[in-house]
Amino acid sequence: MSQTIASTAPAASASARGRRARIALRALQVLLALFYGIASALPKLIAHPTAVESFDRIGWGSGAMYTIGALELAGAVALLVPLLQSVAATALSGLMVGAFIVQLTVFHGQNAATPLILIIPLALIAWARRGQNGELLRLLRRWAS
């Protein structure tokens, strides 16, 4: 009997760690979704003066501001949809690469660390949820045929 209890203890511990890791990953996704939806997309979509000023300084204008805001909002929502989480994290990482380049070239490195810092948890989510990409592809193939 003691051998049975001893052999199931590591499995239970691993299961508890896995559960905690899944909860932590989900919490990270929710926090990033809130950040992208509220702190990043919303100012662009409501044409907050700071967003307008930044996009004017870049030289892209309001069309690009609204487009990037919409992409960030879509990414924020998709981070919360199980089938889209990995794709959303990958797409938002791509936006962050662009933001990093803009911060370096237009704003002379001011706040350039922010997009790089955001890429780290996005890459973690993309990797951890990568198994859903196959399911998404199967669904798209079925839908296309």
Side-chain angles (χ1 to χ4, degrees):
M1 173 93 174
S2 65
Q3 268 188 329
T4 305
I5 293 171
S7 66
T8 59
S13 176
S15 175
R17 274 195 312 271
R19 184 175 186 277
R20 286 192 300 267
R22 285 190 304 278
I23 290 169
L25 186 63
R26 188 66 175 162
L28 180 62
Q29 288 174 235
V30 169
L31 288 173
L32 284 172
L34 288 170
F35 170 78
Y36 278 104
I38 296 169
S40 195
L42 186 61
K44 295 171 183 83
L45 295 174
I46 65 170
H48 190 274
T50 58
V52 171
E53 179 186 333
S54 292
F55 277 84
D56 284 346
R57 187 167 170 197
I58 296 168
W60 291 356
S62 63
M65 179 181 67
Y66 291 124
T67 301
I68 291 172
L71 289 171
E72 289 174 338
L73 183 59
V77 171
L79 277 175
L80 303 175
V81 177
L83 200 57
L84 301 175
Q85 293 166 345
S86 179
V87 172
T90 302
L92 287 170
S93 293
L95 277 176
M96 292 302 96
V97 169
F100 173 72
I101 292 168
V102 168
Q103 292 296 332
L104 283 181
T105 58
V106 177
F107 297 102
H108 310 291
Q110 182 182 6
N111 299 321
T114 303
L116 290 180
I117 292 167
L118 289 167
I119 287 174
I120 295 167
L122 289 168
L124 173 68
I125 292 165
W127 181 80
R129 304 294 192 197
R130 71 192 181 280
Q132 296 163 340
N133 291 340
E135 188 178 337
L136 178 61
L137 282 173
R138 282 188 293 280
L139 180 66
L140 290 173
R141 285 183 186 134
R142 204 172 344 137
W143 180 71
S145 56

